[in-house]
Each structure stands twice: as structure tokens, then as C-alpha cells.
Amino acid sequence: MPNDTRGRMVEAAVTALRRNGVAGMSFTEILADSGAARGAIYHHFPGGKTQLVAEAAAFNGGQVRARLEELPATDPRQLVEDFLTLVRPVVIESSTGCGCAVAAVAVATDQLPHEASAAAFASWIDALTGRLVTAGLPTDTARDLATTLITLLEGAHVLCRAAASIEPFDRVCRTAMALVPS
């Protein structure tokens, strides 16, 4: 956790978004989880909740992108297996009530958070595309597969949360592996 108040508040917002979505996220929760004083809200986020939500989505989007950029690009099939292994623990959390902070922000009605989530998703697709190209796929094929994998991840969050089970993810993983060009 960052030592600075602003960073702690952004991280607390990511956690709150994963648990409760934008509508359920409260400043009281952010303050309690970050240890910040009430006056810190508008000092660090003059745009209020809209700004905090957008920055939390951008921050979490950057964290995920960095993890995707670290995936080994030995060959496309192994890369997809590694991706599915990487995201599995997060999807398991979805089955117990947590979701994706970036996806929670994607459905926000305010433009700033919506743009932040769109940029995060695009960066994830770009990162996976780059890794798949390095692993040997043509760019168009890599971009299509990367988009499919991110769609799979986000859909798995929703289905696993609704089912309170990891089973939908396990089923889609089998199908995802069949989509990888040999």
C-alpha cells in the first residue's frame, strides 16, 4: 500500500469498486480503508467521486496491463495458458462476490470514468496483442485473440459472480484453448 494519502485512497477505491461497484462505493468506506481524513477527499480529488473512480480505474488498469506485459511469449498456446492461470485467482474472487474494478467503472454514466475504463481495456488488449505477436501470431490474429481473451475474462467475472462458482470460467477456458491457432 502506498505511503501517501492520495495513493491509499486510490487503492481503497479499487477495492471498493471490486466489492460494491460505483453506486455502492462511499467516501466513508474510502476514508476508513485508507486512513485518510475527511478533508482529504476534495483536497486530492477536487472532481469528487467521479475523479476518484476514474483514477482508480486507470490505476488498476495499469496494474493489470503490467502483469499482462510480463507474460512469457514462448508460443501462443502457452501464452494463453499462462493468461488463464494468471487471471484464475481474480475470477475465483468474483465467484465469492468481488468483481473487476475497471468493468464496474465501464458502466458508469459519467464520461471521465467511462473513458478511463475504455483506455484500460484497450491497454490490456494492446499488451496481450504484443505478447501474442512476439509469440508468433500475425498482428490481426493476435488482436482478435487478445480481444477474445479480455472479453472472456470480463464475462467470467459476471457469470462466476452470478453462479457463485468458478465453473463458467473453467468451461470457457477449455473453449479458449481450442481457439488458439496452432
Side-chain angles (χ1 to χ4, degrees):
M1 180 176 266
N3 289 331
D4 67 306
T5 300
R6 189 174 204 289
R8 288 193 317 271
M9 291 176 76
V10 168
E11 283 195 346
V14 169
T15 301
L17 288 167
R18 291 190 69 226
R19 280 193 307 245
N20 307 317
V22 175
M25 185 184 102
S26 72
F27 278 140
T28 302
E29 175 183 24
I30 301 305
L31 294 173
D33 290 352
S34 67
R38 184 158 276 304
I41 295 170
Y42 290 103
H43 171 74
H44 292 293
F45 304 98
K49 185 175 184 177
T50 299
Q51 181 184 358
L52 177 57
V53 164
E55 290 192 29
F59 174 75
N60 186 234
Q63 290 177 308
V64 173
R65 183 190 67 247
R67 298 287 309 273
L68 296 175
E69 289 172 343
E70 294 172 352
L71 287 171
T74 52
D75 68 77
R77 186 166 189 78
Q78 185 62 52
L79 179 61
V80 172
E81 284 181 24
D82 291 345
F83 168 79
L84 296 171
T85 299
L86 174 70
V87 301
R88 184 179 183 76
V90 179
V91 177
I92 288 171
E93 287 182 9
S94 290
S95 72
T96 63
C98 281
C100 173
V102 174
V105 174
V107 296
T109 55
D110 293 319
Q111 189 65 24
L112 187 62
H114 180 77
E115 289 172 357
S117 68
F121 287 137
S123 77
W124 298 356
I125 291 168
D126 288 346
L128 274 176
T129 298
R131 302 310 295 149
L132 287 163
V133 167
T134 299
L137 290 183
T139 302
D140 289 344
T141 303
R143 181 157 299 283
D144 289 349
L145 183 54
T147 301
T148 299
L149 290 172
I150 296 304
T151 303
L152 172 155
L153 170 62
E154 294 308 318
H157 278 298
V158 174
L159 291 177
C160 292
R161 186 170 186 165
S165 168
I166 192 69
E167 186 181 351
F169 179 72
D170 290 338
R171 285 195 309 262
V172 79
C173 286
R174 290 188 294 273
T175 302
M177 292 309 299
L179 295 174
V180 181
S182 29

